[in-house]
């Protein structure tokens, strides 16, 4: 026996993108059902990036969702580029009148999951055998087995694939009807979480002869830091002492700056990849976030891009469902991809600017130093950086 559920929008993926979309649809009186193969606790404890653009914070705080971004997050009005031990501050507020917020992705999830609870939203966590289908019909379906072992089928008008970089929804679309664009990088990030007070009031993106490092924060007592490593690095080869001396070496400089060290309780190697699949719509299937595109982590664009997809997609679905106007759905892929490629460029450019490419020639190494100097010495260069980092602030006006 298959239990059938009828809804307007079936959403695969209960990460921030899927739940934000479900919430926005709810505000417009449109019902949805969300499924995810991960259990709620796993999503709440999966560490991802921690920076929200101004437009993302607006989306999270102005739409009636539970959000602790303003109360527990930290507004950052600038960031520091540390090149060979010398600080260059990018003053976001002074340059483009915008800020970013340090508020980790897993906390965004916790807030949105509570929002769905409060609104009585249907979210199935811990499902298995998820199988979307029928995109080419006007009654697409999502088959799955819920956490209790009951076989279920969602019958809906639209399916949204917000199911991350290993998307089942994307892989259900025949390869012949989509284009893939991908780029590999010859390095990865070694990420740590540690118990220590913050080492700096703002983020430090450091470039040194030993490679890239990023000093980020989580709270008054927990910090997040990363350093460039080889993709096949094994975290077990890295003792606490070895990690701290490598991080310190990458931020050393004439100012004598020292990181505040503490017990490291999480070590992970994060792979780097750029990926885009086009188009982001296949009949009644719409892809959003990492299901359609992945950026390298430098600049923390991943979640922000996903939320931006969701904003555009929400407007398109609302117009289609409430007014029968499908022009927004028809334009969704092009609208979303315009921003996706801007962010792809920014993430990949910021990566190459700050990382050491083990295969690069001496010429390339020195050219990059020239590029960085040209950028950081120019008010226009810093403004370009500030504008892209904060999410092209003039552009992200909410129309809800
Ligand atoms: C964080 C991650 C990023 O990729 C970045 O660019 C900035 C901050 C973080 O996890 O805090």
């Amino acid at each position: 026996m298959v239990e059938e559920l009828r809804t307007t929008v079936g959403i695969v993926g209960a990460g921030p993108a899927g739940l934000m979309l479900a919430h926005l649809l709810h505000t417009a009186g449109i019902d949805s059902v969300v499924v995810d193969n991960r259990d709620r606790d796993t999503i709440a404890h999966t560490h991802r990036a921690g920076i929200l653009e101004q437009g993302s914070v607006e989306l999270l705080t102005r739409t009636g969702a539970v959000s602790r971004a303003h109360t527990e997050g930290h507004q950052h009005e600038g960031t520091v580029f540390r090149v060979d031990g010398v600080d260059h501050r990018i003053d976001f507020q002074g340059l483009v009148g915008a800020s970013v917020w340090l508020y980790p992705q897993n906390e965004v999830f916790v807030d949105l999951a509570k929002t769905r609870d409060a609104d009585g939203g249907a979210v199935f966590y811990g499902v298995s055998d998820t199988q979307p289908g029928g995109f080419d019909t006007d009654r697409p379906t999502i088959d799955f087995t819920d956490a209790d072992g009951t076989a279920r089928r969602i019958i809906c008008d639209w399916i949204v694939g917000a199911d991350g970089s290993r998307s089942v929804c994307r892989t259900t679309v025949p390869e012949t009807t989509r284009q893939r664009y991908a780029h590999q990088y010859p390095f990865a990030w070694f990420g740590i979480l540690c118990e220590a007070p913050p080492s700096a009031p703002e983020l430090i993106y450091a470039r040194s002869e030993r490679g890239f490092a990023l000093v980020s924060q989580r709270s008054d007592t927990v910090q997040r830091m990363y350093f460039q490593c080889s993709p096949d690095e094994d975290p077990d080869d890295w003792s606490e002492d070895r990690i701290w001396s490598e991080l310190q070496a990458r931020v050393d400089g004439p100012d004598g700056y020292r990181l505040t060290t503490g017990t490291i309780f999480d070590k992970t190697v994060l792979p780097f990849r750029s990926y885009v699949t086009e188009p982001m719509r296949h009949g009644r299937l719409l892809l959003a976030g990492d299901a359609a595109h992945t950026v390298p982590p430098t600049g923390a664009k991943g979640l922000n891009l996903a939320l931006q997809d969701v904003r555009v997609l929400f407007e398109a679905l609302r117009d289609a469902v409430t007014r029968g106007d499908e022009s927004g759905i028809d334009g969704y892929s092009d609208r979303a991809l315009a921003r996706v490629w801007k962010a792809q460029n920014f993430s990949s450019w910021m990566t190459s600017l700050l990382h050491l490419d083990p295969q690069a020639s001496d010429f390339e190494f020195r050219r990059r130093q020239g590029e960085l100097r040209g950028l950081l010495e120019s008010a226009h260069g810093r403004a370009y950086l500030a504008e892209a980092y904060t999410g092209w602030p003039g552009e992200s006006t909410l129309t809800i």
Side-chain angles (χ1 to χ4, degrees):
M1 252 298 280
V2 176
E3 297 274 335
E4 286 188 353
L5 293 149
R6 183 76 182 87
T7 193
T8 308
V9 184
I11 302 175
V12 184
L19 293 189
M20 186 71 213
L21 181 65
H23 168 66
L24 290 172
L25 291 169
H26 171 78
T27 62
I30 300 167
D31 58 299
S32 66
V33 175
V34 186
V35 299
D36 199 299
N37 57 11
R38 298 165 299 174
D39 64 42
R40 188 166 170 164
D41 212 45
T42 304
I43 312 176
H45 291 99
T46 303
H47 301 294
R48 293 275 174 86
I51 289 288
L52 296 176
E53 295 169 355
Q54 185 148 311
S56 300
V57 173
E58 282 173 19
L59 194 63
L60 294 166
T61 55
R62 290 206 196 149
T63 58
V66 174
S67 179
R68 293 165 296 145
H70 280 313
T71 51
E72 293 190 17
H74 294 271
Q75 183 175 0
H76 285 194
E77 297 189 349
T79 193
V80 172
F81 273 42
R82 190 170 168 88
V83 184
D84 297 327
V86 177
D87 282 352
H88 304 260
R89 182 165 186 267
I90 312 296
D91 175 5
F92 301 150
Q93 275 298 334
L95 290 161
V96 295
S99 291
V100 296
W101 270 256
L102 184 92
Y103 188 60
Q105 179 164 336
N106 54 314
E107 302 297 343
V108 172
F109 164 76
V110 170
D111 290 349
L112 289 170
K114 275 194 194 142
T115 307
R116 290 282 63 213
D117 288 346
D119 293 333
V123 184
F124 290 87
Y125 296 101
V127 308
S128 48
D129 308 323
T130 307
Q131 191 50 61
F135 315 144
D136 299 334
T137 71
D138 57 4
R139 285 285 174 278
T141 55
I142 305 170
D143 292 333
F144 67 101
T145 306
D146 73 16
D148 297 329
T150 306
R152 296 184 183 268
R153 163 167 285 193
I154 300 171
I155 304 167
C156 47
D157 298 334
W158 301 96
I159 296 183
V160 173
D163 51 343
S165 52
R166 293 198 195 93
S167 173
V168 169
C169 292
R170 181 185 70 232
T171 46
T172 311
V173 177
E175 295 242 3
T176 47
T177 57
R178 58 191 169 101
Q179 271 291 333
R180 295 188 295 156
Y181 303 92
H183 181 73
Q184 303 289 341
Y185 298 81
F187 37 73
W189 275 6
F190 197 111
I192 61 150
L193 281 163
C194 67
E195 283 162 19
S199 280
E202 293 177 336
L203 266 60
I204 301 174
Y205 287 90
R207 183 189 199 270
S208 80
E209 288 195 6
R210 298 182 69 90
F212 171 81
L214 170 58
V215 179
S216 183
Q217 301 90 23
R218 282 296 175 266
S219 69
D220 291 345
T221 53
V222 172
Q223 310 311 320
R224 182 81 162 138
M225 299 184 200
Y226 305 92
F227 60 93
Q228 173 186 349
C229 67
S230 143
D232 49 25
E233 204 69 66
D234 178 357
D236 290 339
D237 290 343
W238 286 79
S239 68
E240 207 160 280
D241 282 352
R242 186 174 174 212
I243 292 171
W244 284 122
S245 64
E246 188 59 48
L247 274 166
Q248 181 60 48
R250 295 189 190 199
V251 297
D252 269 344
D255 59 2
Y257 173 69
R258 302 289 306 168
L259 294 169
T260 311
T261 61
T263 307
I264 295 169
F265 61 89
D266 190 84
K267 304 187 276 190
T268 349
V269 171
L270 289 84
F272 264 55
R273 207 161 81 97
S274 285
Y275 175 84
V276 181
T277 186
E278 295 191 14
M280 288 169 64
R281 176 202 179 181
H282 299 271
R284 286 180 171 264
L285 169 70
L286 301 135
L287 299 173
D290 274 23
H293 43 77
T294 298
V295 289
T298 330
K301 286 280 175 243
L303 171 59
N304 293 294
L305 262 189
L307 290 174
Q308 205 59 34
D309 287 351
V310 161
R311 185 179 72 78
V312 175
L313 182 53
F314 159 65
E315 292 173 359
L317 285 167
R318 178 197 56 197
D319 293 350
V321 173
T322 59
R323 296 198 274 116
D325 172 3
E326 292 192 10
S327 58
I329 300 272
D330 293 339
Y332 168 65
S333 186
D334 285 347
R335 265 187 85 188
L337 284 166
R339 192 185 174 92
V340 165
W341 279 110
K342 243 161 61 164
Q344 270 305 347
N345 173 59
F346 178 68
S347 306
S348 146
W349 172 71
M350 196 165 154
T351 298
S352 54
L353 200 60
L354 296 172
H355 290 67
L356 287 195
D357 180 344
Q359 284 131 34
S361 63
D362 290 348
F363 170 83
E364 188 58 21
F365 178 79
R366 280 168 174 69
R367 189 192 68 72
R368 284 272 177 235
Q369 284 179 315
E371 182 178 14
L372 255 177
R373 186 162 300 125
L375 180 78
L376 297 172
E377 284 173 358
S378 154
H380 300 290
R382 292 196 303 275
Y384 171 78
L385 234 174
E387 189 177 52
Y389 192 92
T390 57
W392 300 281
E395 185 191 78
S396 55
T397 20
L398 272 179
T399 58
I400 45 172

